[in-house]
Amino acid sequence: MHALTKQLSEYMLEKYQLTNYILHESYYDRHKLNDQTVYSFETFWIPSGTSIIEEEDGMMLPKGTVQITIDPVTKRTTTLSLHGPTYLHSVPDDLRDPTTRIAWLESETDMIHGTHFMLEEENDTFFSYVSCHEGIRLSSGCFIHLTLTENGQLDELFLYGPHALDHRVNQEPFTLTLEDIDSLAKQQIKWFSYTKPGHQYAHTVVETIVTQEGSSLVPSKLDFTSSIEVNDVLSWTGLPSKMHERYPYQSGETVTANDVITQTEHPDFRPIQQETMNACRIVIKDIIQSEYPADSGQWMIRHIYRQHPYLAVTLSRAHPTSYVEQHRRVTIFLDEKTLHWISLTDDQELHTVFDSVSAPELEDEQQDIIFNALRPYLLLTPRYVFAASKGQYVLCGLLDSNHAYLPATNEVVLLRNL
């Protein structure tokens, strides 16, 4: 056992007093969070005297198994899952009382309620919290999901995302108003179809992030760290240069304790070299030509990005003439080392259901009518949004609405009622 693995295991053993447990399995993993590589140490502890039951479709953990995941650098717990009734040191027997629940979450997460995290959703046995900075939500931020049993005992605590104390926030007063973004808000009116007798479509204002300067902001696609925008139309004559067979999926490289110690960067952060992109384009052209032989000039490579151990390539129709073609996407996975073809996914069927619905043509006067009807129901909420170019969270406004306008009846209704 590596010295770091031993140290972290002993830390969990002491923190939760797992004296009647045996460490059955442990391994390291790594993730991309904002612009950083974050590691985790995942463990499964089984009660002494029990054993794993091997089955055809996998293994069954014995009752009382405890799953614990921690950040190996900060030692903060990110997963605490109990498989059956289990008593753990430092975990209250009943978490239904709000005061008890919040106090335990604060001690377990090293965050302060109302300052670093706030409630988003709750029912009798499930509580969802999101990270915030002084009461203002962060995107993307940390999610905390707490599940209880019917008698209030812990079932699972799960945290995902950048920890609130690690946030880099550019704090400033929120001065943006709806009047400042009237013109932009009107541009965000979009139609959507829904099924209800006598109706075909409705209008609403789509959720939009707006900077304090009054411009719309598309939050960074944090998973596409190495993404390259290509926008290259594929055309061909004759036969493909090579016929490609599909290869099976493969697992990624094993993450080791040494990777944690040296803080090795996630492979997806490595830039894609020009020669790799050129070779990738040739393979993609061959695959598209063999799969859609009559579609020369109809497909465009949009993005190439890493999703270790693969290169992912997204394509769309170059000259869309319908709803389906406009939104249709094809995603192809290639082995990042050999460029072997792994998979192709075409979401055409997902959008076909909407093909018979035509987008309404709106005159300026109709646009004004719809916007004026929806304007009293517009919401502008402060939101810190991570800006990858700045490496920190900046204060923006979240433009949204819970209502929709029905042109058939000139009504404004709640979206949840449609």
Side-chain angles (χ1 to χ4, degrees):
M1 180 182 288
H2 193 281
L4 177 62
T5 303
K6 185 174 184 294
Q7 175 191 352
L8 296 175
S9 300
E10 290 177 348
Y11 167 79
M12 284 186 268
L13 187 68
E14 180 180 353
K15 177 177 180 179
Y16 296 108
Q17 296 189 7
L18 301 168
T19 52
N20 295 322
Y21 286 83
I22 298 173
L23 179 60
H24 167 68
E25 181 183 9
S26 68
Y27 58 91
Y28 295 94
D29 201 357
R30 62 184 163 203
H31 320 274
K32 295 171 293 180
L33 291 178
N34 289 345
D35 58 346
Q36 298 179 336
T37 301
V38 177
Y39 284 86
S40 63
F41 179 57
E42 308 190 22
T43 64
F44 291 86
W45 302 77
I46 62 175
S48 302
T50 63
S51 59
I52 301 298
I53 302 173
E54 299 290 344
E55 297 183 336
E56 290 185 5
D57 56 350
M59 65 179 185
M60 178 180 292
L61 298 171
K63 287 186 177 180
T65 295
V66 179
Q67 178 185 354
I68 306 174
T69 304
I70 66 172
D71 183 317
V73 176
T74 65
K75 295 183 180 179
R76 295 168 182 150
T77 298
T78 56
T79 299
L80 183 57
S81 181
L82 310 184
H83 298 257
T86 303
Y87 169 77
L88 280 186
H89 175 70
S90 79
V91 181
D93 292 334
D94 191 340
L95 288 164
R96 286 175 292 187
D97 175 67
T99 303
T100 302
R101 183 171 61 251
I102 292 301
W104 179 70
L105 282 174
E106 289 183 335
S107 65
E108 193 67 28
T109 64
D110 195 27
M111 293 189 285
I112 300 173
H113 181 252
T115 299
H116 302 128
F117 71 99
M118 59 187 186
L119 183 67
E120 180 184 44
E121 176 188 350
E122 68 173 323
N123 58 37
D124 292 341
T125 59
F126 176 76
F127 303 86
S128 175
Y129 301 87
V130 293
S131 61
C132 63
H133 180 78
E134 300 297 338
I136 298 177
R137 183 174 173 178
L138 292 97
S139 296
S140 72
C142 179
F143 292 88
I144 306 172
H145 292 168
L146 176 65
T147 307
L148 309 179
T149 63
E150 291 185 355
N151 60 4
Q153 290 183 321
L154 173 68
D155 181 45
E156 182 179 58
L157 173 67
F158 176 71
L159 285 79
Y160 178 78
H163 193 276
L165 298 185
D166 299 331
H167 294 151
R168 290 161 287 172
V169 178
N170 180 25
Q171 188 166 335
E172 59 180 309
F174 185 68
T175 59
L176 194 66
T177 67
L178 285 170
E179 288 73 18
D180 296 331
I181 57 171
D182 240 32
S183 177
L184 184 145
K186 187 183 295 187
Q187 297 171 22
Q188 305 311 310
I189 294 178
K190 306 295 180 183
W191 72 278
F192 64 95
S193 63
Y194 68 102
T195 55
K196 193 172 183 179
H199 299 270
Q200 188 179 32
Y201 60 86
H203 297 271
T204 190
V205 172
V206 297
E207 182 179 291
T208 308
I209 298 294
V210 186
T211 67
Q212 293 234 69
E213 291 74 35
S215 59
S216 63
L217 171 70
V218 179
S220 305
K221 292 185 179 296
L222 303 177
D223 288 340
F224 295 1
T225 309
S226 57
S227 178
I228 296 177
E229 187 172 350
V230 182
N231 295 331
D232 187 8
V233 177
L234 300 179
S235 301
W236 56 79
T237 57
L239 298 175
S241 62
K242 180 181 178 181
M243 299 303 295
H244 299 265
E245 62 180 79
R246 297 199 193 194
Y247 287 75
Y249 277 97
Q250 58 180 317
S251 59
E253 298 174 351
T254 301
V255 180
T256 67
N258 286 330
D259 289 325
V260 177
I261 294 171
T262 60
Q263 287 294 287
T264 305
E265 191 175 59
H266 195 289
D268 286 357
F269 282 105
R270 291 182 289 113
I272 300 173
Q273 302 299 325
Q274 183 65 44
E275 54 267 31
T276 300
M277 189 174 72
N278 293 340
C280 181
R281 183 191 180 280
I282 293 173
V283 175
I284 293 299
K285 180 181 175 182
D286 287 342
I287 294 173
I288 290 296
Q289 184 176 356
S290 63
E291 293 294 300
Y292 310 96
D295 286 358
S296 175
Q298 298 303 310
W299 287 101
M300 174 183 287
I301 298 178
R302 294 293 184 182
H303 293 90
I304 301 176
Y305 59 95
R306 293 189 185 278
Q307 194 163 320
H308 185 71
Y310 307 111
L311 286 175
V313 183
T314 59
L315 303 97
S316 65
R317 300 295 277 181
H319 310 288
T321 58
S322 67
Y323 180 93
V324 172
E325 290 196 339
Q326 180 181 355
H327 294 273
R328 184 180 176 185
R329 295 292 182 272
V330 166
T331 302
I332 298 176
F333 279 75
L334 305 176
D335 181 281
E336 67 176 346
K337 293 181 179 178
T338 64
L339 296 187
H340 286 159
W341 180 19
I342 305 298
S343 70
L344 182 150
T345 304
D346 187 338
D347 66 1
Q348 179 180 12
E349 292 186 5
L350 182 65
H351 303 292
T352 300
V353 67
F354 299 106
D355 194 30
S356 61
V357 180
S358 301
E361 297 287 341
L362 293 180
E363 303 290 341
D364 290 343
E365 184 178 347
Q366 293 173 300
Q367 186 91 353
D368 289 338
I369 291 173
I370 295 171
F371 179 70
N372 290 332
L374 288 173
R375 200 181 191 291
Y377 304 97
L378 298 183
L379 304 171
L380 185 61
T381 310
R383 177 74 62 92
Y384 281 108
V385 180
F386 185 78
S389 60
K390 298 181 179 180
Q392 64 180 356
Y393 288 86
V394 296
L395 187 59
C396 299
L398 175 66
L399 174 67
D400 199 9
S401 179
N402 297 323
H403 292 73
Y405 175 82
L406 308 182
T409 60
N410 295 322
E411 292 178 280
V412 176
V413 300
L414 282 167
L415 284 168
R416 67 169 179 263
N417 294 336
L418 294 179

